[in-house]
Amino acid sequence: MTDYLKCEQIPYSALAAEYGTPLYVYSQQEITAALNQYQQAFASLQPLICYAVKANSNLSILRHFARLGCGFDIVSGGELQRVIMAGGDTGKTIFSGVGKSSAEIEFALNNNIRCFNVESLPELERINTIADRLGKIAPISLRINPDVNAHTHPYISTGLKANKFGIAYHDVIKAYQLAATLPHLKITGIDCHIGSQLTDLSPLIEALERMLLLVDKLAEHNIELEHIDLGGGVGIVYQNENVPDLAAYATAVARLLSKRNLQLMLEPGRSLIGNAGGLLTTVEYIKQGEEKNFVIVDAAMNDLMRPSLYQAYHGILNVSSTTANEFVADVVGPICETGDFLAKDRTIAATAGDLLLIQNAGAYAFSMASNYNTRCRAAEVLVNGTEHHLIRQRENLPELLANEQNCLKAI
Ligand code: LLP
């Protein structure tokens, strides 16, 4: 049996038999290894690595990152609640996002988070007012928009002038000067995030260079910073992408930060978990259409939105000992939309009942899943060597319908 039929020591078929499909399967050892790569590459800089919770926010996964010493990058009160429940350190948690509500800011202040990554002037004022009411001082960093092109899918590119993110480069000094006048804020850092699934290092380096120009200008205005946060991590291989070398990234960052007294922070998500997970699905039917063949599986766009939303490629392996011959087909789910596909024009050998593994579905898969078509979200399993643990139960219909059923009597 070849290795790809197993997650660590456990055959995929055994996991499917025990937990059913669709099923997300994660390798704990691969998660640890991915984090080690960052820790080793950046060792000389001793960065605070804040795992981006949005990539995969399962409580057991967060607990694993917490035990490995990570901080967290959150974008909602809900994600903060997860970090707390998982035993994460709120003192190593940073709060990003353009639309923090008053309730979320209050929740974060009461839990003494490390820093608010602030995205606008009204947000500065709001945090100051709430901190005043609570008798607290809020640590803040300003997310700058460096106006560099990250060369990634337009939906996940964030560092251009036209994007909603960050404070416009030319307004940054004024924004820090305003922050310095607000008594319940403490300026601690500067941050940016230019986009996700980056396959080229140069925009990341360019963004850092542009941030350092601002750090120097701020020093001229007597605003001294303690940390610099470079945002999300590097891209991963889904098909044949040339992904940036972490050691080269770290070397470039170390060169630019040398002789500066700035604590480095990083917010990687995808590259810590994306390759460590897969989505197991069973073939329901093979259908020969007039122009195309379809492999119809029990997973759908509600389980993995990336192909429909970003035309993303995910490798698909048949992990059963199939006897089928290869053919070209679209791999599609049961959802009533033409956009419900997991792969297009893929050469695949599959027959009804076979088990397929949709690869590299550890990041932005379950965390973006929905209940569209009243489909229960799938279960999640974490594998460690010869052990496997259910880390999220499959949803069921009574639970899914309860919130509406309770309201039915009002009509
Ligand atoms: N920090 C901030 C402020 C972010 O907005 C993000 C991702 C990250 C860190 C983590 O970036 P990463 O290391 O994962 O590249 N759903 C899309 C990806 C959206 C990314 C949003 N922000 C996808 O499936 O490709």
Side-chain angles (χ1 to χ4, degrees):
M1 203 183 259
T2 38
D3 276 349
Y4 65 73
L5 302 180
K6 292 183 184 174
C7 178
E8 299 193 19
Q9 308 300 313
I10 314 281
Y12 285 112
S13 54
L15 295 170
E18 179 153 352
Y19 301 106
T21 60
L23 179 71
Y24 301 88
V25 179
Y26 309 112
S27 156
Q28 188 168 319
Q29 290 173 11
E30 281 185 48
I31 296 171
T32 309
L35 179 64
N36 279 341
Q37 281 196 359
Y38 271 91
Q39 285 168 333
Q40 279 167 16
F42 285 91
S44 69
L45 291 162
Q46 293 192 297
L48 176 61
I49 299 179
C50 295
Y51 167 66
V53 172
K54 63 169 81 71
N56 184 322
S57 44
N58 183 286
L59 291 176
S60 300
I61 302 275
L62 299 184
R63 175 161 294 177
H64 183 60
F65 280 118
R67 285 182 178 153
L68 294 172
C70 282
F72 297 93
D73 170 50
I74 57 163
V75 289
S76 69
E79 288 191 349
L80 177 55
Q81 184 65 51
R82 285 180 177 276
V83 168
I84 294 167
M85 262 191 198
D89 183 349
T90 55
K92 290 186 194 168
T93 297
I94 53 183
F95 193 170
S96 301
V98 291
K100 300 172 191 81
S101 71
S102 297
E104 287 174 323
I105 292 167
E106 180 163 345
F107 183 35
L109 280 169
N110 281 333
N111 282 285
N112 301 317
I113 64 161
R114 174 66 165 260
C115 188
F116 290 86
N117 285 356
V118 177
E119 302 233 9
S120 66
L121 303 187
E123 186 189 331
L124 275 178
E125 307 265 10
R126 181 182 279 188
I127 295 174
N128 182 60
T129 306
I130 297 171
D132 183 6
R133 177 161 53 76
L134 300 178
K136 299 240 178 202
I137 300 291
I140 61 115
S141 160
L142 293 188
R143 174 169 176 177
I144 66 140
N145 183 328
D147 194 28
V148 299
N149 189 342
H151 302 295
T152 183
H153 190 282
Y155 287 7
I156 51 176
S157 183
T158 49
L160 283 171
K161 273 186 199 158
N163 299 136
K164 70 176 173 183
F165 296 102
I167 293 177
Y169 195 80
H170 296 290
D171 297 337
V172 170
I173 303 294
K174 270 186 296 176
Y176 272 99
Q177 284 174 324
L178 169 69
T181 66
L182 297 173
H184 294 274
L185 302 184
K186 177 176 193 297
I187 297 170
T188 61
I190 186 165
D191 64 281
C192 83
H193 169 75
I194 58 171
S196 195
Q197 184 52 14
L198 305 186
T199 53
D200 185 5
L201 268 189
S202 46
L204 282 168
I205 305 302
E206 196 186 329
L208 171 55
E209 284 167 348
R210 288 174 66 80
M211 282 169 99
L212 290 174
L213 292 176
L214 291 173
V215 171
D216 292 339
K217 269 206 199 135
L218 287 169
E220 286 165 21
H221 288 88
N222 294 319
I223 297 177
E224 299 287 344
L225 304 182
E226 295 164 18
H227 79 253
I228 186 160
D229 171 355
L230 305 187
V234 297
I236 62 172
V237 178
Y238 287 99
Q239 188 172 12
N240 48 18
E241 298 87 341
N242 245 332
V243 297
D245 176 36
L246 275 183
Y249 183 26
T251 306
V253 173
R255 183 175 48 78
L256 289 167
L257 293 187
S258 74
K259 304 203 189 80
R260 287 178 182 270
N261 205 8
L262 285 170
Q263 152 95 68
L264 174 65
M265 293 194 193
L266 301 168
E267 307 167 1
R270 186 194 312 270
S271 45
L272 293 183
I273 181 125
N275 292 147
L279 175 59
L280 277 179
T281 182
T282 303
V283 178
E284 298 279 11
Y285 306 100
I286 305 289
K287 175 169 173 176
Q288 278 152 9
E290 213 165 311
E291 278 189 14
K292 283 195 148 194
N293 299 313
F294 298 98
V295 175
I296 303 173
V297 297
D298 65 358
M301 68 188 281
N302 74 300
D303 302 299
L304 181 65
M305 279 191 66
R306 305 193 68 260
S308 310
L309 195 56
Y310 317 115
Q311 298 78 43
Y313 178 97
H314 284 260
I316 300 185
L317 290 179
N318 189 330
V319 292
S320 332
S321 42
T322 189
T323 49
N325 290 324
E326 281 192 339
F327 55 101
V328 175
D330 286 4
V331 179
V332 300
I335 285 184
C336 297
E337 291 226 18
T338 303
D340 177 28
F341 58 88
L342 300 167
K344 290 260 189 200
D345 300 317
R346 200 62 66 82
T347 302
I348 188 165
T351 189
D354 280 358
L355 188 61
L356 307 184
L357 176 71
I358 304 173
Q359 297 176 288
N360 310 315
Y364 305 113
F366 185 89
S367 63
M368 295 175 77
S370 78
N371 295 115
Y372 189 35
N373 278 205
T374 309
R375 287 169 53 84
C376 293
R377 284 180 299 172
E380 295 175 285
V381 169
L382 185 61
V383 174
N384 185 17
T386 55
E387 290 178 20
H388 49 94
H389 299 285
L390 186 64
I391 58 170
R392 193 177 204 275
Q393 292 177 3
R394 186 175 302 285
E395 290 178 348
N396 59 51
L397 285 175
E399 262 170 25
L400 194 64
L401 299 178
N403 287 340
E404 292 160 60
Q405 200 177 16
N406 295 337
C407 302
L408 251 186
K409 43 187 173 301
I411 303 296

